[in-house]
Amino acid sequence: MMAIFIVVFVAYYQQKQVKQQLALKELQEKYRRELMAATFQGQEQERRRLARDLHDEIGTMLSVTKMSLNQLDRKLTDNVPASLLLQRTRSLLDETMSNVRRISRDLVPTTLDRFGLVAALEELIEKTTDGDIHIQLECNATLDNLTSPMEVMLYRIAQELVNNGIKHARATQITIQLFCQENEVRLSVVDNGHGFDFDDVMKDRDRGLGLRNIESRLSVVDGHVTFDVAPGRGSKIYVQVPLPQSEPEPELV
């Protein structure tokens, strides 16, 4: 009886230890996700602050400076050298103001907040497409289940993949696909670039930062990314994110 008791006690103790270890791992994983979510949220808040400062403060100062130059130009119409100098200065100011607006929009696309993910992706395509690069967007109309943080995440991922395809893979044709199903949203970015070696890129601390950032963003929401890539051919990147399940409405008694 003593031997049976000892065996049962040891088995119970080991089982309890296993449960405690599993609970500890779950707590650690929960803490890691909450920490990463807070990090990404802080990044977006900092982007918004910088965009607001650029638009409200620096942009306003540049506009006032341009108005002062215009007033000065009207007083120096007879002085040709000074007038030419003012025209060049005004041209530099216009270019600076345009760059400030562009940087502000890149930091926080206002279209995303006002009109949603599809409109923001269309704006991204419009800004990126030129004579040598063609980008198209394919999506369905059932995107109402996306939350605002999820839209921001998907936009950042698409932005990163499009930029990588153009900058590193030298792609000239890119297709963005965005589809919502009952329980998940799927985003894919396919290009005709010269591809890359995934393992080599991930070993490089600088080159692999964007891809690791994508994986980190998705891990917070139990998402998954598949990289169908290889040197010498186009890349296909598939992203799957589970949609938050709505709570069932209580039955009326």
Side-chain angles (χ1 to χ4, degrees):
M1 291 292 294
M2 181 63 68
I4 294 174
F5 173 78
I6 293 174
V7 170
V8 172
F9 176 78
V10 171
Y12 171 78
Y13 179 75
Q14 290 178 341
Q15 185 180 17
K16 187 175 181 180
Q17 275 193 323
V18 170
K19 289 182 178 180
Q20 289 178 341
Q21 290 176 352
L22 290 175
L24 179 61
K25 288 182 179 180
E26 289 179 358
L27 287 175
Q28 290 175 339
E29 179 65 17
K30 181 181 179 181
Y31 174 76
R32 184 189 68 83
R33 291 185 179 183
E34 290 177 349
L35 181 62
M36 292 179 65
T39 300
F40 290 128
Q41 184 179 5
Q43 290 177 350
E44 292 300 328
Q45 290 176 349
E46 184 64 13
R47 286 173 183 264
R48 293 177 185 279
R49 186 190 67 80
L50 289 173
R52 185 172 59 250
D53 290 346
L54 281 172
H55 181 271
D56 295 344
E57 297 183 16
I58 298 179
T60 301
M61 292 172 62
L62 288 173
S63 298
V64 172
T65 303
K66 184 180 178 181
M67 290 173 60
S68 299
L69 280 176
N70 290 336
Q71 293 176 357
L72 183 60
D73 186 26
R74 286 193 290 269
K75 296 180 180 180
L76 296 175
T77 53
D78 296 334
N79 190 333
V80 176
S83 180
L84 291 175
L85 178 60
L86 282 172
Q87 290 177 10
R88 286 197 292 269
T89 305
R90 187 188 299 114
S91 177
L92 290 173
L93 270 176
D94 288 338
E95 184 178 355
T96 303
M97 292 169 65
S98 177
N99 286 331
V100 167
R101 287 192 293 267
R102 176 184 57 80
I103 294 172
S104 179
R105 287 195 300 267
D106 289 343
L107 284 171
V108 179
T110 55
T111 305
L112 183 61
D113 289 334
R114 295 178 181 176
F115 305 107
L117 178 59
V118 175
L121 290 175
E122 290 174 345
E123 184 182 61
L124 174 65
I125 291 172
E126 183 179 354
K127 292 190 299 184
T128 309
T129 302
D130 60 20
D132 299 326
I133 301 172
H134 178 69
I135 307 175
Q136 64 178 0
L137 173 65
E138 300 175 0
C139 64
N140 62 5
T142 57
L143 300 175
D144 298 333
N145 294 332
L146 297 182
T147 62
S148 179
M150 187 174 292
E151 287 189 331
V152 172
M153 179 193 65
L154 291 171
Y155 177 83
R156 296 298 181 199
I157 292 175
Q159 185 182 40
E160 176 70 26
L161 294 176
V162 169
N163 290 338
N164 285 347
I166 296 173
K167 182 178 179 181
H168 300 296
R170 300 292 187 269
T172 58
Q173 293 183 354
I174 301 176
T175 300
I176 303 173
Q177 295 179 324
L178 180 65
F179 295 99
C180 268
Q181 297 180 338
E182 292 184 358
N183 57 353
E184 70 176 8
V185 56
R186 295 186 178 184
L187 169 71
S188 65
V189 178
V190 181
D191 66 57
N192 67 339
H194 54 61
F196 60 94
D197 188 303
F198 179 78
D199 293 332
D200 288 344
V201 170
M202 294 300 285
K203 291 177 184 176
D204 191 318
R205 186 171 183 177
D206 295 327
R207 293 178 61 199
L209 181 61
L211 301 185
R212 284 192 293 270
N213 193 28
I214 290 175
E215 291 182 333
S216 298
R217 286 179 180 273
L218 290 170
S219 68
V220 174
V221 294
D222 290 328
H224 179 70
V225 57
T226 302
F227 295 94
D228 182 5
V229 297
R233 66 172 176 84
S235 301
K236 301 177 182 178
I237 296 93
Y238 304 99
V239 173
Q240 295 174 260
V241 181
L243 290 171
Q245 299 298 316
S246 58
E247 295 292 334
E249 296 183 0
E251 295 183 1
L252 299 177
V253 179

